[in-house]
Structure formats: structure tokens, C-alpha cells
Amino acid sequence: MPIESFERLLVHSAPAFACHACGDPQEKEAFIAPVSHVAHPPATAAALQRIPRVPGADAARAFFASHDGGAIYTAKGLRSDPGGDDEGIEIFPLHEWGARTKEVLDFWNASEYEDDEMPYGRDDFIAIAHSRGASTYIHWVVRGRHAGSVYWWPTTMPPEKHDGPLAADFGKFIETICTQPVHFLNDLLFCYTRFSDGKTKTQWIPKRYIPDRRSVGIPAEG
């Protein structure tokens, strides 16, 4: 179950990414970016009623019944832009779904993107998560022929009608985040997540996830 992969991630007490410098053609690992994982307490029974009845919803109910969202691969103070948000992946608690979805709708309504040119329309999804390095949210489709699937698109690159999803369902979305974080961040989400060493302007890109950075000589508090 995806929730089990998420739980295994939470027990990593000193996680990190081994990173390479942006633009390095050899992608040599040259910086260790410490990260953290934080999960919220279980959702209430009333909040769980917000979960739509779509294919794959059982995995979502199991997840939120254990943790009402959380933030994983979060890096405190590693962004190069002063005052910027932390990097990482945020899974929104159920009570935030409405407001987060409205933010997407406000943008969509002000844009030129037509519903019938895309895999789903503006009334067919819920915003459920955020890769904090990107400016747009991750969408769980709840209506139409793609109901149950998970999509993401950059502001200027909406999916075309026949484009495939980020994940086939909620469970596969969580499983990919937990077991293939570098693939998820770099390949699926176009490498928006980049860390700073706090000393230079170099943008450091995740190359390898390390469950315990002490195994590579970095103190847990480092």
C-alpha cells in the first residue's frame, strides 16, 4: 500500500539528497542537501468525506486516515532567493482542498486555456499537492474519462487532450513520490526543485536520495 511507503519514509531520521550543480554535464554529486519529512495527524471522519468516489480512492482514504497531509523532502533555509519558500513536496490537508482548488480556478478562468482542448475541464479536479519549487499545484481528476488520475502542468504548458497523467491514480502518485523522488522531481516535474548551499549562487539539483546522511559523513543536524 502507498501509505506503507510513506510511513517508511517518515522513519528516516536524517534524510538528504546528493545533488549536482545545475549545468554540470557530468552531473557530479558535489553537495548534500539535508531534507526533512513531516506528516500531519489523521484526518477526522468528517474530513474524510471530502475524498471523492473515483478509481483509486481507497488508497487516498487509507492515506488521509493515517495522515491528513504533510511535507516531505523539505529543506529549511536552502532556497537561494531570500525569503523564498522551502523546497519539497506538500500534500494538502483535506480542509485546504477547496481553497487551493479555487486558486487554480481563478488562474484558469483568467487564462486562454480551453477545457475541450485538455484532458479535463476546470470543474473536474481537486488541487491536492504542491511541489514547492514549481508555481502550480498537482490536480486529482474527479470527473470525466480521466477520473481518478493525477495531473500536473506548468503555468505556460497545459496538457493537450491526449497527454497522459502524472500518475494513473492517487496511490501510484504517493508511491512514486516515496520510492522514486528524483524521477518524480526531475523527470515528471521538470526539475523545478533546486537547493542552495547558502554560500554560493549555484542551484543544486537532486540526483540521489539518501535515507541517512550520516552514512556519507554529514551530521544529522547538518
Side-chain angles (χ1 to χ4, degrees), residues 102-114 122:
K102 183 179 182 303
E103 290 181 41
V104 182
L105 287 173
D106 289 344
F107 162 74
W108 199 333
N109 289 332
S111 74
E112 299 178 354
Y113 304 142
E114 298 295 337
R122 67 194 71 202

Side-chain angles (χ1 to χ4, degrees), residues 55-213:
D58 288 348
R61 292 190 187 94
F63 179 89
F64 287 97
S66 297
H67 300 289
D68 191 8
I72 55 179
Y73 310 118
T74 297
K76 283 288 185 183
L78 290 179
R79 287 292 294 274
S80 58
D81 48 328
D85 293 333
D86 298 332
E87 295 286 4
I89 300 171
E90 181 180 5
I91 302 168
F92 302 143
L94 295 170
H95 72 273
E96 291 188 13
W97 281 8
R100 300 286 190 169
T101 302
K102 183 179 182 303
E103 290 181 41
V104 182
L105 287 173
D106 289 344
F107 162 74
W108 199 333
N109 289 332
S111 74
E112 299 178 354
Y113 304 142
E114 298 295 337
D115 297 31
D116 60 1
E117 297 176 355
M118 297 168 62
Y120 56 96
R122 67 194 71 202
D123 296 321
D124 298 335
F125 74 95
I126 298 169
I128 60 168
H130 184 204
S131 174
R132 289 172 167 171
S135 60
T136 48
Y137 295 154
I138 293 167
H139 306 166
W140 191 15
V141 181
V142 297
R143 298 181 191 86
R145 61 193 179 96
H146 294 294
S149 58
V150 177
Y151 276 81
W152 174 81
W153 43 286
T155 302
T156 57
M157 296 174 60
E160 297 182 358
K161 184 178 296 186
H162 301 294
D163 287 350
L166 187 71
D169 55 46
F170 184 90
K172 290 183 176 60
F173 164 65
I174 294 296
E175 192 73 19
T176 302
I177 290 174
C178 295
T179 63
Q180 302 179 67
V182 172
H183 168 65
F184 183 84
L185 293 170
N186 293 355
D187 301 330
L188 299 183
L189 265 62
F190 299 171
C191 208
Y192 276 90
T193 294
R194 303 178 181 202
F195 300 109
S196 168
D197 54 27
K199 301 175 183 178
T200 71
K201 294 183 178 180
T202 302
Q203 296 181 12
W204 296 98
I205 297 174
K207 183 177 181 181
R208 177 170 57 98
Y209 175 69
I210 303 172
D212 189 340
R213 57 186 176 269

